[in-house]
Amino acid sequence: MATTVVRPRTFTEPAPRTHKAPALRHLGPNWYASVMGTAIVANAGATLPYQLPGQRVACQVLWALSAMALAVLLTARAGHWLHHRDQARAHLLDPAVAPFYGCLAMALLAVGGGTLIVGKDLIGSGAALAVDTVLFTAGTVTGLVMAVVVPYLMVVRHQVEASQATPVWLLPVVSPMVSAALGPLLVPHLPAGQPREALLLACYAMFGVSLLATLLLLPLVFGRLIVNGPLPLALTPALFLVLGPLGQSTTAVNQLADVAPGAIDAPYAHALGAFAVVYGVPVMGFALLWLALAAAMLARAARAGMGFAMTWWALTFPVGTCVTGAAGLARHTGLDAFGWLAAALFLALVTAWVAAAAHTLRGLFTGRLLPATR
């Protein structure tokens, strides 16, 4: 029987490497979803057709909370890359984690848009414009980069099969659609003429980037469900991510139609206004179909014992985009039905946010979500 000789360590040998800030090692890019989910509650609540007493103040509080959470996460993620670079690289090479890098861009954009929508009440219009300009620029650049980098890695580095397709794959390509939806907030602040028209058309270009990329990926996701059956229980809430490009694209065309008359010539402005309804109504119809399917699958997973996971945040931002999309259609069609739909979806959004936020805080306090281990 062979014996193992353990040689004593001498003073010339380096001590085993220990990681600084060990809890940060487990902090992945998926945490930005909590910022997105909080910001969308503020943004959607402030733009609802129906406003209750105190609703604006509640939206201001939620925006401030999302802004603080974004600042904390940006700092923590910087520490993650500084102290745990090996894990950060591993995340990029992991097909299950890499798509979440799209959440960084969407978090920047959602908080930036909220700054102009409700944050200006607290910090002033001038400061809000400056903050949104910075966050919109950073979020748009990051989103466009990730829309290329992550699919590239999936093609040349990740080892994936058709059975692994999930709605998470949509995250990197949805972020340009968020830019398309929130860019119109900045259009009126640009000089009249070419600057406004350039940003308007750039937003439509990003609308096309995201929409066509989504149309490429969505058949893979649905095909995987049909052929391989339901997603694992913890991943079931991710089905709601499909609502993101649907609701956000509806929001985008309506937001762009609002600012088109001041940015582009009349014939095109009228056409873009019509396009908002002609495109938005059918897409919202499909979004409601997918919402019903995803809700049925979620109920099935809950009966099977689904516990809390960070995927619960997928129940917030995508639903919020449907709220803003329905509100935009109510504005352009004048139909009360879309206003009622927006209000009903907003109640579902608030319920989902409360559940996700409460379980996340509990997981942080108990150390289950970010265990302080090497």
Side-chain angles (χ1 to χ4, degrees), residues 233-234 237 301 305-309 311-312 368:
L233 295 183
M306 178 189 68
F308 172 73
T311 51
W312 279 33
R368 188 176 70 86

Side-chain angles (χ1 to χ4, degrees), residues 143-349:
L144 291 173
V145 169
M146 291 303 166
V148 175
V149 169
V150 175
Y152 173 82
L153 289 175
M154 293 177 71
V155 172
V156 303
R157 296 296 299 273
H158 298 166
Q159 300 292 327
V160 296
E161 300 177 358
S163 61
Q164 295 174 294
T166 72
V168 172
W169 287 10
L170 296 172
L171 287 172
V173 301
V174 173
S175 50
M177 189 67 79
V178 181
S179 294
L182 294 175
L185 293 173
L186 292 172
V187 170
H189 297 281
L190 292 175
Q194 290 207 11
R196 290 186 183 181
E197 184 176 351
L199 180 55
L200 180 79
L201 295 182
C203 288
Y204 274 108
M206 289 186 286
F207 167 87
V209 166
S210 183
L211 178 63
L212 295 177
T214 298
L215 292 177
L216 289 175
L217 292 173
L218 191 54
L220 296 176
V221 174
F222 188 65
R224 178 253 179 263
L225 293 174
I226 294 295
V227 174
N228 298 97
L231 295 176
L233 295 183
L235 201 56
T236 300
L239 288 170
F240 285 76
L241 292 175
V242 175
L243 297 175
L246 302 175
Q248 198 66 276
S249 63
T250 304
T251 302
V253 293
N254 281 278
Q255 293 286 89
L256 289 164
D258 287 339
V259 299
I264 201 168
D265 293 338
Y268 294 106
H270 295 319
L272 295 177
F275 178 67
V277 177
V278 172
Y279 172 88
V281 173
V283 171
M284 184 57 64
F286 179 67
L288 293 177
L289 171 65
W290 190 272
L291 176 62
L293 174 63
M297 298 297 292
L298 186 67
R300 175 187 176 278
R303 291 194 301 269
M306 178 189 68
F308 172 73
M310 286 298 288
T311 51
W312 279 33
W313 283 102
L315 306 175
T316 56
F317 190 82
V319 175
T321 67
C322 292
V323 175
T324 55
L329 289 174
R331 193 166 60 250
H332 284 99
T333 63
L335 290 176
D336 292 336
F338 283 117
W340 300 335
L341 175 61
L345 291 172
F346 183 71
L347 291 177
L349 168 62

Side-chain angles (χ1 to χ4, degrees), residues 62-75:
L62 285 171
W63 167 79
L65 180 62
S66 68
M68 289 187 292
L70 176 63
V72 170
L73 269 177
L74 287 174
T75 303

